[in-house]
Amino acid sequence: VMLLTSFKTNSDAFTIPVRILPRQWVTENYPAAFAAIPYFKYMSNTIFITFFSVLGQLLVTPMVAYSLANIKWRGADIIFGLVMATMMVPITVTLVPLYKLYSMLGLTNSYIPLILPTYFGKAFYIVICRQFFMGIPNSLIEAARIDGATEFQRFYKVAVPLCKPILTTVGIYAFLDAWSDYLYPLIFITKPNMYTLSLGLQQYLSEYSIDWSRLMAAAVVFVLPVIVCFAVFQRNFVEGIATSGLKA
């Protein structure tokens, strides 16, 4: 519906009786949508945030998950329990304290509040990665230990190459979170030139009318990278979801 509406005129989109296919195919909605707002500026902002957010999750999450799954240290089970407990805390509960904290540090109207938390890992990603690491045969880790590999070498030379499916899954989830995030940019960013696409699309909604055809054209381009990302990595994504709950 979104795709077909993007090729309709605004009046055609609401003509009764409703027709799925446009009565008249038009392509002017796409250039008009890009001209209505600084679309590509917002897209570059979104790409910047998404890139560093995904990078942070892929760097930190496997290290935390590996330490909880394969390293025996005092308090690991307690820490893992606390990590899981944070999944029960609604985002809205922490929003006000986070805003006050970043405001005191002078970090509002910057991308730091949107990117920095990803470098501490996300509970859901840590949990599914930990389950995947627990499925790696201990004999492989022990063989590397016997060969004289350090803990970090066992992590990035043995464990990480075996967990590509789950890292792909985490990467896709992190990409979706950062690309489509609306709440956090709305709270921490007020400068229009720093808007992300999710905030920029709101500018198609005026007080008295909504240009649905242009909005749908802009939305099609907005979701296109998500579709391409999933299409490219869907095999590893499905494999990571299917095996993250198994234990060898």
Side-chain angles (χ1 to χ4, degrees), residues 4 168 177 210 248:
L4 292 174
T168 302
D177 281 347
I210 301 174

Side-chain angles (χ1 to χ4, degrees), residues 56-117:
Q57 293 290 1
L58 292 180
L59 284 175
V60 175
T61 299
M63 288 192 289
V64 176
Y66 178 84
S67 69
L68 293 173
N70 296 90
I71 302 177
K72 305 301 180 184
W73 50 279
R74 183 177 298 177
D77 292 337
I78 297 175
I79 295 298
F80 179 65
L82 292 175
V83 169
M84 292 193 66
T86 61
M87 296 173 63
M88 297 185 292
V89 180
I91 296 176
T92 51
V93 172
T94 60
L95 207 53
V96 172
L98 279 176
Y99 182 82
K100 287 187 175 181
L101 175 63
Y102 286 123
S103 180
M104 289 172 58
L105 296 175
L107 297 178
T108 54
N109 271 323
S110 73
Y111 296 138
I112 293 178
L114 309 180
I115 297 174
L116 184 62

Side-chain angles (χ1 to χ4, degrees), residues 200-216:
L201 293 180
Q202 185 177 280
Q203 296 181 21
Y204 291 102
L205 313 179
S206 67
E207 184 177 355
Y208 301 105
S209 65
I210 301 174
D211 195 332
W212 286 105
S213 297
R214 293 184 183 182
L215 177 58
M216 293 300 104

Side-chain angles (χ1 to χ4, degrees), residues 155-175:
F155 165 68
Y156 77 85
K157 287 187 176 181
V158 179
V160 169
L162 293 173
C163 70
K164 288 181 180 179
I166 197 62
L167 290 182
T168 302
T169 303
V170 169
I172 292 177
Y173 272 125
F175 174 84

Side-chain angles (χ1 to χ4, degrees), residues 198-237:
S198 57
L199 287 180
L201 293 180
Q202 185 177 280
Q203 296 181 21
Y204 291 102
L205 313 179
S206 67
E207 184 177 355
Y208 301 105
S209 65
I210 301 174
D211 195 332
W212 286 105
S213 297
R214 293 184 183 182
L215 177 58
M216 293 300 104
V220 167
V221 181
F222 178 64
V223 302
L224 193 59
V226 177
I227 297 173
V228 172
C229 177
F230 182 77
V232 172
F233 297 107
Q234 63 173 330
R235 183 175 180 180
N236 288 333
F237 175 77

Side-chain angles (χ1 to χ4, degrees), residues 7-8 11-19 21-25:
F7 289 103
K8 295 180 179 181
S11 58
D12 188 14
F14 293 94
T15 301
I16 302 297
V18 176
R19 290 181 57 181
L21 295 177
R23 291 173 173 81
Q24 177 186 357
W25 292 80

